[in-house]
Amino acid sequence: MNAKESMKEQLRDVEQRVAQVLDLAKSLGADSAEASISRQQGLSVGTRFGEVETVEFTNDGALGITVYQQGRKGSASTADLSEAALKQTVQAAVNIAKYTSVDDCSGLADKDMLEMSPADLDLYHPKVLTTDQAIQLAKECEDSALAYDPRITNSDGASLDSFEGYKVYGNTNGQIVGYPSSRHSLSCVMIASEGDDMQRDYAYTVNRDFDLMDNGIAIGVQASKEALSRLNAQKLPTGKVPVMFRADIANSIFGHFIAAISGGNLYRKSSFLMDAIGKQVFPDFLNISERPHILKGLASSAFDSEGIKTVDREIIVDGCLETYLLTSYSARKLGLKSTGHAGGIHNWQINAKGSANGGDFNAMLKKLGTGFLVTELMGQGVNVVNGDYSRGAAGFWVENGEIAYPVSEVTIAGNLSDIFKGLVAVGSDVDLRGSILTGSLLIEEMQVGGN
């Protein structure tokens, strides 16, 4: 039996166990219930200067169950998946529900929104990898980094991770669904020195399919290049300048947008984008699409963590907000319908029309002209209630479309409403290593605090 056939058999067994747990919850007096079982197994190794620093084998599993009884809710979980432990966990959830407050907005997702027959999104690509093979791959990655330049004087090592697992979700509305998945990654962290200056940076690759990851030797070289490029950094004078966020950190800007349109913040009235549906949030050249069913996508899923079917969705059309991001609970609080976002978003694609499509990275630098290229952000100075934004940053000063020198120890600040509307261009240099697929972002102007 190969790995995929073995996984199918495991899923069938787990689906039966979830069904038994739900039946037990009903027999103990629950009006309704939902349960999920997840398991992850895999290998993680780390090397530093050619020596093995860590070897970890993971084989973790857990059950979570929530019961609803006359408007009350009780939840419990266990990492022990034996029959006796599962019974104890269900009983604990039922007992907890007796003491919680009645909440008319709690309960299972609406039955007509559930995904009963999820499509196979090709998320499962197990890799048979011995410990020796994993160590060798990590060593090759780090060795290539150390050999790149004599100014690479230290290393925080290379790490290789290879994991596979599954998730099964079920509820008393008759839904029991599950899928297997895999995730593989390789990273390298290098330290460069010149005189008294030391700088640290990294590079990484991640994919559902091990064989589609970037070459490990290239990742090592990239880590060294990144560290070297930061040597002899300068500060900037305080003032307002154009700012460009490199693709690998540009997703953080949209991360703040996600928080602002998420149901939890909206029903608590703690978002600067309250009542923003249909209103202009970004320039009219920007569109944001969600595509949950991309094959092998890192954020692909046929259903959310409540079992609701995921669908293609337009988030921003011509700069205007089309939808909030709602779970069943937050939707009921707001008098709306869930959008299938329990557990997060699913493959956002950021697109700019016309001249705002800024081309590749070098073309985006030309559009920036003279300004600040941000390649690292630090701190969490973002207030989603009023949109105030202030974070530590590092990167490069750009003059006439060319990188002039590295920059560190500066602060960039503004208000997210102004940052969103001040977007000038989006690059075609899309970073595919996450749930937000965006190129570099060029903002017309932000406050930079330095000397």
Side-chain angles (χ1 to χ4, degrees), residues 96-114:
I96 290 168
K98 296 175 182 177
Y99 299 99
T100 58
S101 302
V102 173
D103 188 340
D104 294 336
C105 293
S106 66
L108 299 179
D110 296 342
K111 187 173 183 178
D112 62 353
M113 300 185 74
L114 300 179

Side-chain angles (χ1 to χ4, degrees), residues 118-261:
D120 180 359
L121 300 180
D122 197 23
L123 306 182
Y124 183 54
H125 295 269
K127 177 68 174 179
V128 178
L129 198 65
T130 68
T131 304
D132 287 342
Q133 288 172 328
I135 291 169
Q136 183 60 34
L137 290 168
K139 281 184 176 180
E140 287 178 358
C141 180
E142 188 189 22
D143 287 347
S144 70
L146 290 167
Y148 180 72
D149 190 289
R151 291 172 295 170
I152 299 297
T153 57
N154 206 341
S155 168
D156 273 348
S159 299
L160 186 143
D161 302 299
S162 181
F163 293 101
E164 61 176 275
Y166 58 77
K167 178 180 179 180
V168 173
Y169 170 85
N171 57 47
T172 50
N173 277 332
Q175 180 190 35
I176 297 182
V177 289
Y179 62 91
S181 64
S182 58
R183 188 181 182 94
H184 314 280
S185 63
L186 177 63
S187 62
C188 187
V189 184
M190 287 291 117
I191 298 170
S193 301
E194 192 168 69
D196 294 331
D197 190 22
M198 295 179 66
Q199 296 290 341
R200 176 181 182 274
D201 216 324
Y202 67 95
Y204 74 99
T205 180
V206 59
N207 207 291
R208 296 282 190 187
D209 188 336
F210 189 95
D211 296 330
L212 294 181
M213 288 199 301
D214 292 340
N215 179 275
I217 293 174
I219 293 297
V221 169
Q222 184 62 31
S224 288
K225 286 182 176 179
E226 295 287 349
L228 290 164
S229 70
R230 298 170 64 119
L231 288 170
N232 303 310
Q234 302 178 35
K235 293 184 180 180
L236 291 177
T238 296
K240 291 187 175 181
V241 300
V243 172
M244 175 175 155
F245 292 84
R246 197 171 65 181
D248 55 325
I249 62 162
N251 55 16
S252 68
I253 295 295
F254 295 107
H256 305 313
F257 170 59
I258 289 168
I261 63 169

